[in-house]
Amino acid sequence: MKIVLIGYMGSGKTSVGKVLAEELKIPFRDLDTEIEMVESKSIPEIFQEKGEIYFRKLENRTVKDLLSHDNDFVLATGGGTPCYANSLSIMLDAPNTLTVYLKAPISVLGNRLFLEREKRPLISHLESREALIEFIGIHLFERSHFYNQAGLVIDANADSPEEIAQRIIERGGLH
Ligand code: S3P
C-alpha cells in the first residue's frame, strides 16, 4: 500500500512520514528531496533560478512517476503538491493508495514555520510572526479545499510524530 501525506508546510508530513514508514516497515520517500536530487539543486534555488511554475510542473511529474510504480512506500509531499494541475486526482485515483491530510491549527504552523522559514521560498520574506500567521490564515483557507478531499483527515496538532503515526494506523485500518 502507498500512503501519501498532504498538508500545509510545517504540518509534520516528513517527521510523521518517517515514523509511519518505520512502523509499517515500508520505505519513506520525500517529494521535495526527490525533486532536489533530480535537479541537483535545493528547493529555494529551483524557485529562484527557474521559478515557481517550473517547480510545480516538476512536482506534478514526480508525483505521477512515483505513484505509477507498483511498490509500497509512505510519501511526504510538499505543502502545495495537491493544489496544482492534476496532482490531487493522481493521488486519489492511484490504486492501493491512501491519501492522508495532516490538519494542524494556524498557531501551531506559525510557531513551527517562523524559525524554519528560510528554507521555504513562499514564506521566507515574512519578517514577523504576526505577518507569517496572517499569511498562513489566507493561504490555508485557499488550500483547504484541496487538502480536505483526502481519504483520511487526521488531527495533527501539537502531538508527537509517534502519536500521529499511530492515529493514522488506527483510523486508516493499517494494522
Ligand atoms: C511548498 C511547500 C514546501 C516546498 C516548496 C513549496 C508549498 O514543502 O514544496 O517550498 O507550496 O507549500 P513543505 O510542505 O515540505 O515545506
Side-chain angles (χ1 to χ4, degrees), residues 3-173:
I3 317 288
V4 180
L5 301 180
I6 64 173
Y8 203 72
M9 293 176 265
S11 58
K13 302 178 295 289
T14 302
S15 46
V16 171
K18 284 182 181 162
V19 176
L20 184 61
E22 211 168 345
E23 288 287 322
L24 298 174
K25 301 189 173 44
I26 55 177
F28 170 73
R29 313 285 291 265
D30 184 276
L31 191 63
D32 280 344
T33 309
E34 306 270 337
I35 292 173
E36 289 178 327
M37 280 182 337
V38 170
E39 290 288 293
S40 304
K41 284 188 175 78
S42 69
I43 301 292
E45 282 167 348
I46 301 172
F47 267 73
Q48 169 120 48
E49 293 170 25
K50 308 256 178 110
E52 183 173 351
I53 304 289
Y54 178 88
F55 173 77
R56 297 301 176 193
K57 287 183 180 167
L58 203 56
E59 198 175 34
N60 176 258
R61 215 179 312 135
T62 313
V63 165
K64 211 178 284 177
D65 185 49
L66 280 169
L67 294 183
S68 69
H69 299 292
D70 205 17
N71 46 341
D72 294 344
F73 52 76
V74 175
L75 176 68
T77 60
T81 313
C83 314
Y84 293 87
N86 63 343
S87 299
L88 180 62
S89 325
I90 291 169
M91 295 172 200
L92 298 179
D93 296 344
N96 280 322
T97 302
L98 175 67
T99 301
V100 181
Y101 169 28
L102 298 187
K103 184 175 183 175
I106 296 171
S107 54
V108 170
L109 297 172
N111 285 334
R112 280 195 199 140
L113 288 172
F114 189 64
L115 300 171
E116 297 178 9
R117 63 198 192 289
E118 237 86 291
K119 290 181 274 175
R120 292 171 163 108
L122 297 179
I123 53 171
S124 51
H125 62 287
L126 298 166
E127 280 170 14
S128 70
R129 208 175 279 260
E130 293 68 37
L132 175 63
I133 285 176
E134 194 186 333
F135 178 90
I136 296 172
I138 297 167
H139 208 200
L140 191 56
F141 178 73
E142 291 165 356
R143 287 182 166 185
S144 293
H145 161 73
F146 298 96
Y147 296 153
N148 280 318
Q149 293 182 53
L152 192 59
V153 178
I154 290 284
D155 198 7
N157 48 38
D159 298 331
S160 70
E162 287 75 17
E163 285 169 307
I164 297 169
Q166 218 46 54
R167 205 169 289 159
I168 296 173
I169 291 173
E170 278 160 29
R171 296 261 324 276

